[in-house]
Amino acid sequence: FDCQTRKDDRPFHLGGAPVQYIHVWKAGGSTIQAFMKSLARKLKLPYEMGNDMCKGVVAAKFQPALRKGHVYVGHRPILWCSSRQGTRPFNIISLREPISAIRSLYNYKATFYGKASPGVLKGVEELRAIESRMRTQGIPTKKMLEHALDQPLVWNIATNFIQLKWLLPRGCPVGVAPDISQNSSKRALSVALKNLIAVDVVVMTESVDRDLITQLSFHAPGLAPKMLMPAATNAAKRPKQQLSGAAIAKIFGGRASFKGIDLDTYLYDLGKRIAKVRSDHAGRCRVAGGTRCSRRCVVNVTKTELELLHMPWPDARCNARMR
C-alpha cells in the first residue's frame, strides 16, 4: 500500500492539506485531540471540533470540502461530514483492542456527569441504579461489568460498541446494526479496512508515543519532535474492569460472525500491523535521511482479510480517497 510521505502536501501549514483526527470513542482520543488542539494553537491554524457524528447536518450534497490549513477533530467519521473532497485530507486515527475499549466505555458511562441527550442520561441513571444494587450485594467495583452482563443495558454496552463506523464516510450506504445481514456487515468491514489502509497516521493506544510522533515526524518534518505530547487527559477514576475468560467468551459468543465485537477485532488486528509497518517505515526513512525511502509498504494479511480488501466498493461515496 502507499506509504510515501505527505510532506509536499504540507499538513499543519496554512494553505496545506486539511488535517482530520478521527476521534474514535475510548481509543486514547482525548489525549491525541488535546495534542491536535495544542499544535493548531501554536501554529495559528483554524481548529474545528464536532462531536455529533454528523447528526443534524444538512443534506450531504450541500457539505463543502474540508478547507486547506484547517485542523478538524472530534467524533465524526472520516472526511468529517463532507460529501466533497478538494485537497486530499491528511487523516489520523487511533484504535484500541476491543475488550479494553469495552472496559473503558463501561467505566466512562458509569461515572458520566455532564450534558447529553435525554436517552443517554436515562441510560446513565439506569446504570447507576444497577451498580447501587450490586454494591449492596458486596460486588467490588472492578467486577461490576462482568456481574451485570445479563442486564440489557450493560449487554448493549458490551456488544454494540463498534469502532469501524468511524471509517464509513457520511453518505456511504452501508452500516452495522444488530439486525442487519451478515453480507451487509461484511461490506461495512470491507469499506472500513480499505479506508484504514489509506489513513496516513494509524495509532494504537498501547503505543501512542511510538506511532503518533514517529509517523507525524515523517509526514511533517521538524514539527512533532519539537512539541511534547500533552499528558493524558483522562486519568483513571475507577479500577479497571476485570473480565474472566468465561465473560469474554460470552461477549464474543453473543454475536454471529461479522457482527459487533468480531468486526472490531478484524479492524484492530489489521490496524495493529499497519501501525507497526507505518511506524517502522517512518523510522527507517528518518534514519536514512529520506534517501532510498520506499513509496510502498507491505503488510501480511490473512486469507479472510485479503478477500475483504478485494471486495468491490458498494458505492463510490464509501471510498474516502476518491470523493
Side-chain angles (χ1 to χ4, degrees):
F1 62 91
D2 180 4
C3 62
Q4 64 182 312
T5 180
R6 295 285 308 277
K7 64 180 182 180
D8 291 342
D9 294 328
R10 302 173 66 241
F12 295 103
H13 286 80
L14 282 172
V19 175
Q20 182 190 2
Y21 170 58
I22 305 161
H23 187 171
V24 176
W25 286 335
K26 314 316 297 175
S30 296
T31 297
I32 298 174
Q33 190 159 282
F35 182 49
M36 295 294 108
K37 185 175 183 178
S38 174
L39 282 179
R41 184 175 63 251
K42 292 175 181 177
L43 298 170
K44 296 181 172 56
L45 298 176
Y47 172 89
E48 296 187 32
M49 182 169 67
N51 286 324
D52 59 2
M53 276 299 292
C54 300
K55 294 178 181 178
V57 176
V58 297
K61 64 182 181 180
F62 297 116
Q63 288 303 293
L66 301 182
R67 293 185 285 267
K68 291 184 178 181
H70 284 232
V71 176
Y72 297 87
V73 303
H75 297 309
R76 285 189 172 182
I78 190 167
L79 295 186
W80 197 245
C81 295
S82 175
S83 60
R84 308 170 194 172
Q85 182 170 309
T87 302
R88 176 186 161 197
F90 180 79
N91 291 315
I92 304 167
I93 195 170
S94 56
L95 299 172
R96 187 170 187 170
E97 188 278 318
I99 291 294
S100 177
I102 289 168
R103 289 185 175 116
S104 179
L105 179 63
Y106 175 86
N107 274 350
Y108 172 78
K109 287 182 174 292
T111 59
F112 178 82
Y113 287 94
K115 295 181 179 180
S117 68
V120 169
L121 294 178
K122 181 179 179 181
V124 170
E125 290 179 4
E126 182 181 345
L127 184 55
R128 287 179 185 152
I130 292 171
E131 289 204 336
S132 179
R133 292 194 294 270
M134 287 192 288
R135 287 191 189 93
T136 63
Q137 298 168 11
I139 297 171
T141 300
K142 64 184 179 182
K143 298 295 291 183
M144 287 185 172
L145 169 58
E146 177 163 347
H147 279 268
L149 277 176
D150 289 333
Q151 298 289 331
L153 174 69
V154 178
W155 183 245
N156 182 67
I157 292 173
T159 58
N160 282 350
F161 176 64
I162 301 171
Q163 297 183 71
L164 73 78
K165 67 182 180 181
W166 309 98
L167 288 162
L168 306 178
R170 185 170 186 267
C172 176
V174 298
V176 180
D179 59 348
I180 66 174
S181 69
Q182 185 183 65
N183 285 337
S184 180
S185 292
K186 288 180 71 172
R187 286 196 295 272
L189 179 58
S190 171
V191 169
L193 294 183
K194 288 190 281 189
N195 282 335
L196 176 64
I197 286 177
V199 170
D200 301 290
V201 175
V202 180
V203 179
M204 296 290 110
T205 54
E206 62 265 36
S207 52
V208 170
D209 291 343
R210 179 201 71 183
D211 295 334
L212 183 63
I213 301 304
T214 302
Q215 294 178 48
L216 271 184
S217 299
F218 175 58
H219 294 293
L223 176 63
K226 297 179 181 178
M227 300 182 181
L228 296 176
M229 188 73 171
T233 56
N234 280 345
K237 298 177 181 178
R238 308 201 323 164
K240 178 181 177 181
Q241 291 297 312
Q242 295 181 358
L243 289 171
S244 65
I248 292 174
K250 182 177 182 179
I251 292 171
F252 275 97
R255 294 250 174 224
S257 180
F258 289 112
K259 289 193 176 182
I261 194 170
D262 297 296
L263 293 168
D264 277 350
T265 300
Y266 276 98
L267 183 71
Y268 172 79
D269 286 347
L270 181 58
K272 188 172 183 178
R273 277 171 274 145
I274 290 174
K276 187 177 188 306
V277 166
R278 283 193 175 276
S279 292
D280 289 349
H281 174 259
R284 287 193 302 269
C285 290
R286 183 175 58 189
V287 171
T291 61
R292 301 187 304 277
C293 188
S294 175
R295 296 165 58 94
R296 309 288 292 177
C297 286
V298 176
V299 63
N300 294 323
V301 297
T302 66
K303 181 180 179 180
T304 299
E305 289 168 344
L306 187 63
E307 292 173 354
L308 289 164
L309 291 169
H310 282 171
M311 286 177 65
W313 293 98
D315 188 284
R317 292 170 293 176
C318 297
N319 186 344
R321 285 287 297 271
M322 299 301 293
R323 293 174 63 164

